[in-house]
PDB file of all heavy atoms in Angstrom:
ATOM      1  N   LYS A  88       0.779  -1.213  -0.009  1.00 97.00           N
ATOM      2  CA  LYS A  88      -0.009   0.057   0.011  1.00 97.00           C
ATOM      3  C   LYS A  88       0.844   1.312   0.018  1.00 97.00           C
ATOM      4  O   LYS A  88       0.360   2.408  -0.054  1.00 97.00           O
ATOM      5  CB  LYS A  88      -0.956  -0.029   1.218  1.00 97.00           C
ATOM      6  CG  LYS A  88      -2.057  -1.132   1.142  1.00 97.00           C
ATOM      7  CD  LYS A  88      -3.013  -1.019   2.332  1.00 97.00           C
ATOM      8  CE  LYS A  88      -4.106  -2.080   2.170  1.00 97.00           C
ATOM      9  NZ  LYS A  88      -4.990  -2.065   3.303  1.00 97.00           N
ATOM     10  N   GLY A  89       2.182   1.105   0.043  1.00 96.00           N
ATOM     11  CA  GLY A  89       3.043   2.281  -0.071  1.00 96.00           C
ATOM     12  C   GLY A  89       3.339   2.986   1.178  1.00 96.00           C
ATOM     13  O   GLY A  89       3.678   4.212   1.137  1.00 96.00           O
ATOM     14  N   TYR A  90       3.199   2.401   2.336  1.00 97.00           N
ATOM     15  CA  TYR A  90       3.514   3.017   3.654  1.00 97.00           C
ATOM     16  C   TYR A  90       4.987   2.912   3.936  1.00 97.00           C
ATOM     17  O   TYR A  90       5.393   2.162   4.720  1.00 97.00           O
ATOM     18  CB  TYR A  90       2.706   2.438   4.776  1.00 97.00           C
ATOM     19  CG  TYR A  90       1.167   2.510   4.563  1.00 97.00           C
ATOM     20  CD1 TYR A  90       0.340   1.434   4.678  1.00 97.00           C
ATOM     21  CD2 TYR A  90       0.602   3.811   4.243  1.00 97.00           C
ATOM     22  CE1 TYR A  90      -1.029   1.653   4.540  1.00 97.00           C
ATOM     23  CE2 TYR A  90      -0.763   3.946   4.034  1.00 97.00           C
ATOM     24  CZ  TYR A  90      -1.606   2.801   4.171  1.00 97.00           C
ATOM     25  OH  TYR A  90      -2.908   2.931   3.980  1.00 97.00           O
ATOM     26  N   LEU A  91       5.770   3.765   3.166  1.00 94.00           N
ATOM     27  CA  LEU A  91       7.174   3.675   3.221  1.00 94.00           C
ATOM     28  C   LEU A  91       7.826   4.810   3.950  1.00 94.00           C
ATOM     29  O   LEU A  91       7.148   5.845   4.135  1.00 94.00           O
ATOM     30  CB  LEU A  91       7.709   3.641   1.761  1.00 94.00           C
ATOM     31  CG  LEU A  91       7.047   2.688   0.802  1.00 94.00           C
ATOM     32  CD1 LEU A  91       7.556   2.823  -0.620  1.00 94.00           C
ATOM     33  CD2 LEU A  91       7.135   1.249   1.320  1.00 94.00           C
ATOM     34  N   THR A  92       9.034   4.637   4.389  1.00 93.00           N
ATOM     35  CA  THR A  92       9.816   5.665   5.122  1.00 93.00           C
ATOM     36  C   THR A  92      10.717   6.457   4.141  1.00 93.00           C
ATOM     37  O   THR A  92      11.103   5.939   3.205  1.00 93.00           O
ATOM     38  CB  THR A  92      10.633   4.989   6.207  1.00 93.00           C
ATOM     39  OG1 THR A  92      11.642   4.190   5.620  1.00 93.00           O
ATOM     40  CG2 THR A  92       9.786   4.080   7.197  1.00 93.00           C
ATOM     41  N   GLY A  93      11.011   7.646   4.582  1.00 93.00           N
ATOM     42  CA  GLY A  93      12.019   8.411   3.840  1.00 93.00           C
ATOM     43  C   GLY A  93      13.373   7.822   3.935  1.00 93.00           C
ATOM     44  O   GLY A  93      14.169   7.790   3.005  1.00 93.00           O
ATOM     45  N   GLY A  94      13.647   7.181   5.034  1.00 95.00           N
ATOM     46  CA  GLY A  94      14.933   6.488   5.235  1.00 95.00           C
ATOM     47  C   GLY A  94      15.118   5.305   4.304  1.00 95.00           C
ATOM     48  O   GLY A  94      16.192   5.074   3.755  1.00 95.00           O
ATOM     49  N   GLY A  95      14.021   4.593   3.970  1.00 96.00           N
ATOM     50  CA  GLY A  95      14.115   3.504   2.951  1.00 96.00           C
ATOM     51  C   GLY A  95      14.460   4.020   1.591  1.00 96.00           C
ATOM     52  O   GLY A  95      15.309   3.417   0.876  1.00 96.00           O
ATOM     53  N   ALA A  96      13.952   5.109   1.176  1.00 96.00           N
ATOM     54  CA  ALA A  96      14.219   5.783  -0.141  1.00 96.00           C
ATOM     55  C   ALA A  96      15.673   6.167  -0.157  1.00 96.00           C
ATOM     56  O   ALA A  96      16.366   6.002  -1.183  1.00 96.00           O
ATOM     57  CB  ALA A  96      13.303   6.968  -0.378  1.00 96.00           C
ATOM     58  N   ARG A  97      16.222   6.783   0.962  1.00 95.00           N
ATOM     59  CA  ARG A  97      17.643   7.180   0.968  1.00 95.00           C
ATOM     60  C   ARG A  97      18.579   5.912   0.905  1.00 95.00           C
ATOM     61  O   ARG A  97      19.588   5.962   0.268  1.00 95.00           O
ATOM     62  CB  ARG A  97      17.866   8.025   2.190  1.00 95.00           C
ATOM     63  CG  ARG A  97      17.237   9.379   2.138  1.00 95.00           C
ATOM     64  CD  ARG A  97      17.662  10.294   3.344  1.00 95.00           C
ATOM     65  NE  ARG A  97      17.149   9.813   4.665  1.00 95.00           N
ATOM     66  CZ  ARG A  97      16.009  10.201   5.119  1.00 95.00           C
ATOM     67  NH1 ARG A  97      15.222  10.979   4.454  1.00 95.00           N
ATOM     68  NH2 ARG A  97      15.599   9.755   6.277  1.00 95.00           N
ATOM     69  N   ASN A  98      18.147   4.895   1.597  1.00 96.00           N
ATOM     70  CA  ASN A  98      18.881   3.660   1.576  1.00 96.00           C
ATOM     71  C   ASN A  98      18.943   3.128   0.093  1.00 96.00           C
ATOM     72  O   ASN A  98      20.026   2.692  -0.413  1.00 96.00           O
ATOM     73  CB  ASN A  98      18.292   2.561   2.496  1.00 96.00           C
ATOM     74  CG  ASN A  98      18.572   2.830   3.940  1.00 96.00           C
ATOM     75  OD1 ASN A  98      19.443   3.651   4.320  1.00 96.00           O
ATOM     76  ND2 ASN A  98      17.757   2.232   4.823  1.00 96.00           N
ATOM     77  N   ALA A  99      17.829   3.089  -0.573  1.00 97.00           N
ATOM     78  CA  ALA A  99      17.797   2.580  -1.927  1.00 97.00           C
ATOM     79  C   ALA A  99      18.728   3.437  -2.844  1.00 97.00           C
ATOM     80  O   ALA A  99      19.450   2.924  -3.680  1.00 97.00           O
ATOM     81  CB  ALA A  99      16.378   2.571  -2.474  1.00 97.00           C
ATOM     82  N   ALA A 100      18.636   4.744  -2.674  1.00 95.00           N
ATOM     83  CA  ALA A 100      19.381   5.682  -3.550  1.00 95.00           C
ATOM     84  C   ALA A 100      20.914   5.478  -3.404  1.00 95.00           C
ATOM     85  O   ALA A 100      21.664   5.588  -4.337  1.00 95.00           O
ATOM     86  CB  ALA A 100      19.035   7.109  -3.196  1.00 95.00           C
ATOM     87  N   PHE A 101      21.334   5.054  -2.164  1.00 95.00           N
ATOM     88  CA  PHE A 101      22.755   4.961  -1.897  1.00 95.00           C
ATOM     89  C   PHE A 101      23.277   3.503  -2.163  1.00 95.00           C
ATOM     90  O   PHE A 101      24.320   3.383  -2.767  1.00 95.00           O
ATOM     91  CB  PHE A 101      23.102   5.360  -0.437  1.00 95.00           C
ATOM     92  CG  PHE A 101      24.512   5.296  -0.084  1.00 95.00           C
ATOM     93  CD1 PHE A 101      25.380   6.272  -0.629  1.00 95.00           C
ATOM     94  CD2 PHE A 101      24.983   4.341   0.773  1.00 95.00           C
ATOM     95  CE1 PHE A 101      26.790   6.171  -0.312  1.00 95.00           C
ATOM     96  CE2 PHE A 101      26.342   4.200   1.084  1.00 95.00           C
ATOM     97  CZ  PHE A 101      27.256   5.205   0.551  1.00 95.00           C
ATOM     98  N   TYR A 102      22.548   2.487  -1.691  1.00 97.00           N
ATOM     99  CA  TYR A 102      23.023   1.148  -1.839  1.00 97.00           C
ATOM    100  C   TYR A 102      22.761   0.438  -3.109  1.00 97.00           C
ATOM    101  O   TYR A 102      23.328  -0.632  -3.359  1.00 97.00           O
ATOM    102  CB  TYR A 102      22.513   0.328  -0.627  1.00 97.00           C
ATOM    103  CG  TYR A 102      23.086   0.805   0.751  1.00 97.00           C
ATOM    104  CD1 TYR A 102      22.314   1.413   1.689  1.00 97.00           C
ATOM    105  CD2 TYR A 102      24.458   0.614   1.055  1.00 97.00           C
ATOM    106  CE1 TYR A 102      22.834   1.796   2.879  1.00 97.00           C
ATOM    107  CE2 TYR A 102      24.980   1.010   2.218  1.00 97.00           C
ATOM    108  CZ  TYR A 102      24.168   1.568   3.156  1.00 97.00           C
ATOM    109  OH  TYR A 102      24.734   2.009   4.345  1.00 97.00           O
ATOM    110  N   ALA A 103      21.868   0.996  -3.940  1.00 97.00           N
ATOM    111  CA  ALA A 103      21.416   0.290  -5.120  1.00 97.00           C
ATOM    112  C   ALA A 103      22.555  -0.097  -6.077  1.00 97.00           C
ATOM    113  O   ALA A 103      22.636  -1.066  -6.758  1.00 97.00           O
ATOM    114  CB  ALA A 103      20.374   1.135  -5.905  1.00 97.00           C
ATOM    115  N   ARG A 104      23.669   0.736  -6.007  1.00 97.00           N
ATOM    116  CA  ARG A 104      24.836   0.521  -6.941  1.00 97.00           C
ATOM    117  C   ARG A 104      25.555  -0.807  -6.589  1.00 97.00           C
ATOM    118  O   ARG A 104      26.265  -1.248  -7.438  1.00 97.00           O
ATOM    119  CB  ARG A 104      25.770   1.746  -6.796  1.00 97.00           C
ATOM    120  CG  ARG A 104      26.511   1.818  -5.447  1.00 97.00           C
ATOM    121  CD  ARG A 104      27.145   3.118  -5.191  1.00 97.00           C
ATOM    122  NE  ARG A 104      26.164   4.162  -4.725  1.00 97.00           N
ATOM    123  CZ  ARG A 104      26.317   5.322  -4.438  1.00 97.00           C
ATOM    124  NH1 ARG A 104      27.564   5.840  -4.445  1.00 97.00           N
ATOM    125  NH2 ARG A 104      25.402   6.159  -4.012  1.00 97.00           N
ATOM    126  N   TRP A 105      25.383  -1.344  -5.394  1.00 98.00           N
ATOM    127  CA  TRP A 105      25.972  -2.614  -5.005  1.00 98.00           C
ATOM    128  C   TRP A 105      25.065  -3.776  -5.076  1.00 98.00           C
ATOM    129  O   TRP A 105      25.512  -4.869  -4.736  1.00 98.00           O
ATOM    130  CB  TRP A 105      26.575  -2.417  -3.657  1.00 98.00           C
ATOM    131  CG  TRP A 105      27.772  -1.508  -3.593  1.00 98.00           C
ATOM    132  CD1 TRP A 105      28.941  -1.629  -4.112  1.00 98.00           C
ATOM    133  CD2 TRP A 105      27.753  -0.213  -2.930  1.00 98.00           C
ATOM    134  NE1 TRP A 105      29.726  -0.543  -3.815  1.00 98.00           N
ATOM    135  CE2 TRP A 105      28.973   0.320  -3.106  1.00 98.00           C
ATOM    136  CE3 TRP A 105      26.820   0.475  -2.162  1.00 98.00           C
ATOM    137  CZ2 TRP A 105      29.365   1.614  -2.615  1.00 98.00           C
ATOM    138  CZ3 TRP A 105      27.128   1.786  -1.642  1.00 98.00           C
ATOM    139  CH2 TRP A 105      28.381   2.275  -1.874  1.00 98.00           C
ATOM    140  N   VAL A 106      23.850  -3.570  -5.413  1.00 98.00           N
ATOM    141  CA  VAL A 106      22.849  -4.663  -5.366  1.00 98.00           C
ATOM    142  C   VAL A 106      22.502  -5.129  -6.769  1.00 98.00           C
ATOM    143  O   VAL A 106      22.221  -4.311  -7.717  1.00 98.00           O
ATOM    144  CB  VAL A 106      21.526  -4.216  -4.666  1.00 98.00           C
ATOM    145  CG1 VAL A 106      20.512  -5.303  -4.635  1.00 98.00           C
ATOM    146  CG2 VAL A 106      21.838  -3.717  -3.243  1.00 98.00           C
ATOM    147  N   ASP A 107      22.540  -6.485  -6.978  1.00 97.00           N
ATOM    148  CA  ASP A 107      22.150  -7.127  -8.252  1.00 97.00           C
ATOM    149  C   ASP A 107      20.897  -7.908  -8.005  1.00 97.00           C
ATOM    150  O   ASP A 107      20.851  -8.728  -7.107  1.00 97.00           O
ATOM    151  CB  ASP A 107      23.213  -8.011  -8.780  1.00 97.00           C
ATOM    152  CG  ASP A 107      24.481  -7.264  -9.255  1.00 97.00           C
ATOM    153  OD1 ASP A 107      24.273  -6.059  -9.657  1.00 97.00           O
ATOM    154  OD2 ASP A 107      25.586  -7.858  -9.184  1.00 97.00           O
ATOM    155  N   TRP A 108      19.826  -7.674  -8.813  1.00 97.00           N
ATOM    156  CA  TRP A 108      18.543  -8.295  -8.612  1.00 97.00           C
ATOM    157  C   TRP A 108      18.429  -9.513  -9.598  1.00 97.00           C
ATOM    158  O   TRP A 108      18.094  -9.280 -10.725  1.00 97.00           O
ATOM    159  CB  TRP A 108      17.474  -7.322  -8.853  1.00 97.00           C
ATOM    160  CG  TRP A 108      17.492  -6.156  -7.927  1.00 97.00           C
ATOM    161  CD1 TRP A 108      18.084  -4.947  -8.186  1.00 97.00           C
ATOM    162  CD2 TRP A 108      17.028  -6.111  -6.576  1.00 97.00           C
ATOM    163  NE1 TRP A 108      18.008  -4.175  -7.111  1.00 97.00           N
ATOM    164  CE2 TRP A 108      17.358  -4.865  -6.104  1.00 97.00           C
ATOM    165  CE3 TRP A 108      16.324  -6.990  -5.707  1.00 97.00           C
ATOM    166  CZ2 TRP A 108      16.966  -4.381  -4.787  1.00 97.00           C
ATOM    167  CZ3 TRP A 108      16.009  -6.598  -4.495  1.00 97.00           C
ATOM    168  CH2 TRP A 108      16.274  -5.311  -4.004  1.00 97.00           C
ATOM    169  N   GLU A 109      18.854 -10.657  -9.179  1.00 96.00           N
ATOM    170  CA  GLU A 109      18.609 -11.855 -10.054  1.00 96.00           C
ATOM    171  C   GLU A 109      17.225 -12.400  -9.947  1.00 96.00           C
ATOM    172  O   GLU A 109      16.653 -13.094 -10.809  1.00 96.00           O
ATOM    173  CB  GLU A 109      19.633 -12.882  -9.693  1.00 96.00           C
ATOM    174  CG  GLU A 109      21.042 -12.560 -10.055  1.00 96.00           C
ATOM    175  CD  GLU A 109      22.029 -13.701  -9.995  1.00 96.00           C
ATOM    176  OE1 GLU A 109      21.649 -14.840  -9.621  1.00 96.00           O
ATOM    177  OE2 GLU A 109      23.226 -13.480 -10.222  1.00 96.00           O
ATOM    178  N   ALA A 110      16.493 -12.112  -8.780  1.00 93.00           N
ATOM    179  CA  ALA A 110      15.121 -12.363  -8.651  1.00 93.00           C
ATOM    180  C   ALA A 110      14.273 -11.274  -9.194  1.00 93.00           C
ATOM    181  O   ALA A 110      14.616 -10.092  -9.094  1.00 93.00           O
ATOM    182  CB  ALA A 110      14.780 -12.663  -7.154  1.00 93.00           C
ATOM    183  N   GLU A 111      13.152 -11.596  -9.817  1.00 93.00           N
ATOM    184  CA  GLU A 111      12.307 -10.574 -10.391  1.00 93.00           C
ATOM    185  C   GLU A 111      11.331 -10.091  -9.307  1.00 93.00           C
ATOM    186  O   GLU A 111      10.199 -10.635  -9.135  1.00 93.00           O
ATOM    187  CB  GLU A 111      11.524 -11.071 -11.591  1.00 93.00           C
ATOM    188  CG  GLU A 111      12.409 -11.339 -12.767  1.00 93.00           C
ATOM    189  CD  GLU A 111      11.677 -11.767 -14.015  1.00 93.00           C
ATOM    190  OE1 GLU A 111      10.414 -11.813 -13.953  1.00 93.00           O
ATOM    191  OE2 GLU A 111      12.255 -12.123 -15.011  1.00 93.00           O
ATOM    192  N   LEU A 112      11.746  -9.147  -8.419  1.00 97.00           N
ATOM    193  CA  LEU A 112      10.978  -8.717  -7.329  1.00 97.00           C
ATOM    194  C   LEU A 112      10.129  -7.526  -7.683  1.00 97.00           C
ATOM    195  O   LEU A 112      10.530  -6.674  -8.477  1.00 97.00           O
ATOM    196  CB  LEU A 112      11.877  -8.397  -6.120  1.00 97.00           C
ATOM    197  CG  LEU A 112      12.765  -9.545  -5.570  1.00 97.00           C
ATOM    198  CD1 LEU A 112      13.465  -9.099  -4.293  1.00 97.00           C
ATOM    199  CD2 LEU A 112      11.962 -10.795  -5.326  1.00 97.00           C
ATOM    200  N   GLU A 113       9.011  -7.409  -7.060  1.00 96.00           N
ATOM    201  CA  GLU A 113       8.181  -6.255  -7.197  1.00 96.00           C
ATOM    202  C   GLU A 113       8.664  -5.104  -6.390  1.00 96.00           C
ATOM    203  O   GLU A 113       9.520  -5.303  -5.436  1.00 96.00           O
ATOM    204  CB  GLU A 113       6.677  -6.561  -6.791  1.00 96.00           C
ATOM    205  CG  GLU A 113       6.027  -7.618  -7.670  1.00 96.00           C
ATOM    206  CD  GLU A 113       4.568  -7.920  -7.259  1.00 96.00           C
ATOM    207  OE1 GLU A 113       3.919  -6.923  -6.831  1.00 96.00           O
ATOM    208  OE2 GLU A 113       4.248  -9.092  -7.186  1.00 96.00           O
ATOM    209  N   GLY A 114       8.179  -3.931  -6.617  1.00 96.00           N
ATOM    210  CA  GLY A 114       8.726  -2.731  -5.860  1.00 96.00           C
ATOM    211  C   GLY A 114       8.538  -2.862  -4.424  1.00 96.00           C
ATOM    212  O   GLY A 114       9.497  -2.494  -3.651  1.00 96.00           O
ATOM    213  N   TRP A 115       7.451  -3.430  -3.989  1.00 97.00           N
ATOM    214  CA  TRP A 115       7.190  -3.460  -2.524  1.00 97.00           C
ATOM    215  C   TRP A 115       8.172  -4.364  -1.838  1.00 97.00           C
ATOM    216  O   TRP A 115       8.531  -4.219  -0.692  1.00 97.00           O
ATOM    217  CB  TRP A 115       5.739  -3.899  -2.199  1.00 97.00           C
ATOM    218  CG  TRP A 115       5.414  -5.303  -2.619  1.00 97.00           C
ATOM    219  CD1 TRP A 115       4.877  -5.719  -3.839  1.00 97.00           C
ATOM    220  CD2 TRP A 115       5.559  -6.443  -1.813  1.00 97.00           C
ATOM    221  NE1 TRP A 115       4.708  -7.060  -3.791  1.00 97.00           N
ATOM    222  CE2 TRP A 115       5.114  -7.588  -2.561  1.00 97.00           C
ATOM    223  CE3 TRP A 115       6.082  -6.730  -0.538  1.00 97.00           C
ATOM    224  CZ2 TRP A 115       5.113  -8.869  -2.165  1.00 97.00           C
ATOM    225  CZ3 TRP A 115       6.144  -8.049  -0.130  1.00 97.00           C
ATOM    226  CH2 TRP A 115       5.619  -9.131  -0.880  1.00 97.00           C
ATOM    227  N   GLN A 116       8.622  -5.455  -2.585  1.00 98.00           N
ATOM    228  CA  GLN A 116       9.539  -6.366  -2.012  1.00 98.00           C
ATOM    229  C   GLN A 116      10.909  -5.733  -1.838  1.00 98.00           C
ATOM    230  O   GLN A 116      11.604  -5.969  -0.857  1.00 98.00           O
ATOM    231  CB  GLN A 116       9.706  -7.656  -2.909  1.00 98.00           C
ATOM    232  CG  GLN A 116       8.389  -8.440  -2.926  1.00 98.00           C
ATOM    233  CD  GLN A 116       8.360  -9.504  -4.076  1.00 98.00           C
ATOM    234  OE1 GLN A 116       8.696  -9.215  -5.195  1.00 98.00           O
ATOM    235  NE2 GLN A 116       7.975 -10.712  -3.702  1.00 98.00           N
ATOM    236  N   ARG A 117      11.344  -4.965  -2.853  1.00 98.00           N
ATOM    237  CA  ARG A 117      12.514  -4.198  -2.769  1.00 98.00           C
ATOM    238  C   ARG A 117      12.533  -3.192  -1.627  1.00 98.00           C
ATOM    239  O   ARG A 117      13.532  -3.004  -0.863  1.00 98.00           O
ATOM    240  CB  ARG A 117      12.928  -3.513  -4.051  1.00 98.00           C
ATOM    241  CG  ARG A 117      13.107  -4.500  -5.262  1.00 98.00           C
ATOM    242  CD  ARG A 117      13.514  -3.808  -6.470  1.00 98.00           C
ATOM    243  NE  ARG A 117      13.666  -4.688  -7.674  1.00 98.00           N
ATOM    244  CZ  ARG A 117      14.443  -4.539  -8.685  1.00 98.00           C
ATOM    245  NH1 ARG A 117      15.200  -3.470  -8.775  1.00 98.00           N
ATOM    246  NH2 ARG A 117      14.472  -5.369  -9.669  1.00 98.00           N
ATOM    247  N   ASP A 118      11.361  -2.535  -1.487  1.00 98.00           N
ATOM    248  CA  ASP A 118      11.188  -1.616  -0.437  1.00 98.00           C
ATOM    249  C   ASP A 118      11.422  -2.222   0.972  1.00 98.00           C
ATOM    250  O   ASP A 118      12.073  -1.625   1.834  1.00 98.00           O
ATOM    251  CB  ASP A 118       9.751  -0.979  -0.420  1.00 98.00           C
ATOM    252  CG  ASP A 118       9.587  -0.099  -1.647  1.00 98.00           C
ATOM    253  OD1 ASP A 118      10.568   0.441  -2.198  1.00 98.00           O
ATOM    254  OD2 ASP A 118       8.383   0.015  -2.081  1.00 98.00           O
ATOM    255  N   LEU A 119      10.955  -3.424   1.202  1.00 98.00           N
ATOM    256  CA  LEU A 119      11.120  -4.070   2.442  1.00 98.00           C
ATOM    257  C   LEU A 119      12.546  -4.394   2.717  1.00 98.00           C
ATOM    258  O   LEU A 119      13.092  -4.259   3.813  1.00 98.00           O
ATOM    259  CB  LEU A 119      10.304  -5.400   2.526  1.00 98.00           C
ATOM    260  CG  LEU A 119       8.915  -5.228   2.953  1.00 98.00           C
ATOM    261  CD1 LEU A 119       8.018  -6.412   2.537  1.00 98.00           C
ATOM    262  CD2 LEU A 119       8.776  -4.943   4.462  1.00 98.00           C
ATOM    263  N   LEU A 120      13.340  -4.762   1.705  1.00 98.00           N
ATOM    264  CA  LEU A 120      14.797  -5.040   1.890  1.00 98.00           C
ATOM    265  C   LEU A 120      15.614  -3.743   2.213  1.00 98.00           C
ATOM    266  O   LEU A 120      16.672  -3.904   2.760  1.00 98.00           O
ATOM    267  CB  LEU A 120      15.314  -5.699   0.677  1.00 98.00           C
ATOM    268  CG  LEU A 120      14.790  -7.050   0.359  1.00 98.00           C
ATOM    269  CD1 LEU A 120      15.297  -7.718  -0.891  1.00 98.00           C
ATOM    270  CD2 LEU A 120      15.104  -8.124   1.561  1.00 98.00           C
ATOM    271  N   TYR A 121      15.053  -2.642   1.761  1.00 98.00           N
ATOM    272  CA  TYR A 121      15.761  -1.385   2.063  1.00 98.00           C
ATOM    273  C   TYR A 121      15.239  -0.694   3.368  1.00 98.00           C
ATOM    274  O   TYR A 121      15.721   0.292   3.799  1.00 98.00           O
ATOM    275  CB  TYR A 121      15.620  -0.410   0.890  1.00 98.00           C
ATOM    276  CG  TYR A 121      16.515  -0.587  -0.289  1.00 98.00           C
ATOM    277  CD1 TYR A 121      16.003  -0.906  -1.525  1.00 98.00           C
ATOM    278  CD2 TYR A 121      17.900  -0.647  -0.121  1.00 98.00           C
ATOM    279  CE1 TYR A 121      16.742  -1.101  -2.662  1.00 98.00           C
ATOM    280  CE2 TYR A 121      18.675  -0.819  -1.295  1.00 98.00           C
ATOM    281  CZ  TYR A 121      18.156  -1.066  -2.445  1.00 98.00           C
ATOM    282  OH  TYR A 121      18.922  -1.342  -3.540  1.00 98.00           O
ATOM    283  N   ASP A 122      14.143  -1.221   3.888  1.00 98.00           N
ATOM    284  CA  ASP A 122      13.390  -0.617   4.972  1.00 98.00           C
ATOM    285  C   ASP A 122      14.280  -0.445   6.208  1.00 98.00           C
ATOM    286  O   ASP A 122      14.890  -1.423   6.688  1.00 98.00           O
ATOM    287  CB  ASP A 122      12.185  -1.481   5.332  1.00 98.00           C
ATOM    288  CG  ASP A 122      11.294  -0.897   6.420  1.00 98.00           C
ATOM    289  OD1 ASP A 122      11.024   0.368   6.311  1.00 98.00           O
ATOM    290  OD2 ASP A 122      10.906  -1.592   7.356  1.00 98.00           O
ATOM    291  N   PRO A 123      14.453   0.777   6.763  1.00 97.00           N
ATOM    292  CA  PRO A 123      15.198   1.018   8.010  1.00 97.00           C
ATOM    293  C   PRO A 123      14.505   0.213   9.161  1.00 97.00           C
ATOM    294  O   PRO A 123      13.305   0.315   9.409  1.00 97.00           O
ATOM    295  CB  PRO A 123      15.128   2.429   8.281  1.00 97.00           C
ATOM    296  CG  PRO A 123      14.662   3.092   6.994  1.00 97.00           C
ATOM    297  CD  PRO A 123      13.919   2.061   6.264  1.00 97.00           C
ATOM    298  N   GLN A 124      15.325  -0.448   9.890  1.00 98.00           N
ATOM    299  CA  GLN A 124      14.855  -1.194  11.085  1.00 98.00           C
ATOM    300  C   GLN A 124      15.134  -0.533  12.415  1.00 98.00           C
ATOM    301  O   GLN A 124      16.325  -0.048  12.506  1.00 98.00           O
ATOM    302  CB  GLN A 124      15.383  -2.670  11.040  1.00 98.00           C
ATOM    303  CG  GLN A 124      15.099  -3.446   9.778  1.00 98.00           C
ATOM    304  CD  GLN A 124      13.573  -3.582   9.561  1.00 98.00           C
ATOM    305  OE1 GLN A 124      12.900  -4.273  10.217  1.00 98.00           O
ATOM    306  NE2 GLN A 124      13.151  -2.826   8.470  1.00 98.00           N
ATOM    307  N   THR A 125      14.218  -0.548  13.287  1.00 97.00           N
ATOM    308  CA  THR A 125      14.503  -0.067  14.672  1.00 97.00           C
ATOM    309  C   THR A 125      14.676  -1.346  15.456  1.00 97.00           C
ATOM    310  O   THR A 125      13.737  -2.172  15.574  1.00 97.00           O
ATOM    311  CB  THR A 125      13.379   0.762  15.228  1.00 97.00           C
ATOM    312  OG1 THR A 125      13.309   1.946  14.368  1.00 97.00           O
ATOM    313  CG2 THR A 125      13.641   1.215  16.653  1.00 97.00           C
ATOM    314  N   SER A 126      15.807  -1.412  16.242  1.00 97.00           N
ATOM    315  CA  SER A 126      16.027  -2.650  17.020  1.00 97.00           C
ATOM    316  C   SER A 126      15.727  -3.939  16.216  1.00 97.00           C
ATOM    317  O   SER A 126      14.990  -4.819  16.665  1.00 97.00           O
ATOM    318  CB  SER A 126      15.183  -2.637  18.288  1.00 97.00           C
ATOM    319  OG  SER A 126      15.570  -3.566  19.233  1.00 97.00           O
ATOM    320  N   GLY A 127      16.401  -4.064  15.116  1.00 97.00           N
ATOM    321  CA  GLY A 127      16.279  -5.235  14.232  1.00 97.00           C
ATOM    322  C   GLY A 127      17.090  -6.361  14.734  1.00 97.00           C
ATOM    323  O   GLY A 127      17.722  -6.264  15.788  1.00 97.00           O
TER     324      GLY A 127
END
């Protein structure tokens, strides 16, 4: 539903250069992998 954090977008912008997507993931799946965690 797009309830995303600004931190997740900043993570994606910075770390995407090192990530290779061999799986065909939807946008929401990628968002979860970049999602900032509190006490993860």
Side-chain angles (χ1 to χ4, degrees):
K88 292 182 177 180
Y90 298 131
L91 310 178
T92 67
R97 290 188 290 271
N98 287 341
F101 183 69
Y102 290 113
R104 71 197 77 177
W105 292 291
V106 180
D107 291 332
W108 302 94
E109 292 192 358
E111 294 184 5
L112 300 188
E113 297 181 39
W115 68 267
Q116 295 169 311
R117 298 187 183 204
D118 291 333
L119 275 163
L120 293 175
Y121 284 120
D122 183 44
Q124 303 302 288
T125 299
S126 190

